[in-house]
Amino acid sequence: MKVIPVPAIAGAYLFEPTPHADERGFFSRTFDADVVRSVGIDPNGFLQDSVSRSRKGVLRGMHLRSGLGEAKLVRCSWGAVFDVVVDLRPDSPTYLGKETFDLSGETQVSLYIPAGCAHGFQALTEYADVSYRIDRTHDASEDVAIAYDDPELAIPWPLPAAFVSERDRQALPLSAVLQNTR
């Protein structure tokens, strides 16, 4: 498994597996505690696994947690998604840095997102399953949503936002979220 640091987001990493393919399909290790530990992430710190299934055009995000935040290891296990991370940690050397990724079931690449970063994605295929390994149990009172179409973020979503939750339609602009968290 190859580890690739994400320059625009300090502490974020891509974990690129080495699939073994033959006429039957492929086998791939998607998580390796020793590899995760090698970049300073405690593999035992993950407390919850979740999965979302989205139809093509569904847009989820931009989400983060207040308080201590929430670190995530995300992977598209089926289909393909356009994934976005924004660094909202004021003391980070990459504060307000943004990076986009193409994650897919074909590559099985995992993306580690440090606590304090906003995250969102859009499904690019008929269906897309995204798996999350999270370091905190969910507390709805800490949920924060930033407008996915905020001009300050200027996220180049590849498809029209066909399906967006009510929460995401009513999300605040980045400037308001930053003002509320100071």
Side-chain angles (χ1 to χ4, degrees):
M1 183 172 285
K2 183 177 177 184
V3 180
I4 305 164
V6 177
I9 311 288
Y13 296 93
L14 290 169
F15 294 92
E16 188 177 283
T18 306
H20 302 281
D22 61 23
E23 65 278 354
R24 300 168 296 164
F26 74 88
F27 172 85
S28 185
R29 179 178 297 129
T30 61
F31 180 79
D32 187 315
D34 290 335
V35 174
V36 168
R37 192 178 293 110
S38 76
V39 294
I41 300 167
D42 177 8
N44 297 318
F46 294 110
L47 302 179
Q48 179 179 313
D49 282 359
S50 301
V51 65
S52 67
R53 173 164 290 160
S54 301
R55 298 183 348 221
K56 185 174 186 173
V58 165
L59 200 147
R60 297 180 186 261
M62 297 295 294
H63 301 153
L64 70 151
R65 301 262 307 277
S66 63
L68 298 174
E70 171 183 84
K72 304 178 208 181
L73 189 61
V74 299
R75 176 174 57 89
C76 181
S77 54
W78 179 261
V81 299
F82 176 81
D83 200 278
V84 182
V85 178
V86 179
D87 189 346
L88 297 179
R89 301 167 293 169
D91 56 348
S92 170
T94 56
Y95 179 59
L96 297 180
K98 173 181 69 181
E99 189 64 68
T100 64
F101 308 89
D102 293 315
L103 302 179
S104 75
E106 288 294 314
T107 65
Q108 297 292 320
V109 170
S110 294
L111 169 63
Y112 177 76
I113 304 164
C117 293
H119 174 249
F121 67 87
Q122 185 175 43
L124 302 176
T125 50
E126 182 178 358
Y127 290 98
D129 290 354
V130 174
S131 300
Y132 308 77
R133 185 162 273 188
I134 303 167
D135 74 343
R136 296 185 58 214
T137 54
H138 184 257
D139 180 349
S141 70
E142 294 182 333
D143 288 348
V144 177
I146 299 168
Y148 67 91
D149 57 355
D150 186 328
E152 187 175 351
L153 290 175
I155 298 169
W157 300 108
L159 301 174
F163 306 97
V164 178
S165 71
E166 186 63 27
R167 171 187 174 202
D168 289 337
R169 279 195 296 275
Q170 295 182 9
L172 296 173
L174 176 62
S175 58
V177 169
L178 294 176
Q179 191 172 42
N180 291 339
T181 58
R182 287 184 183 142

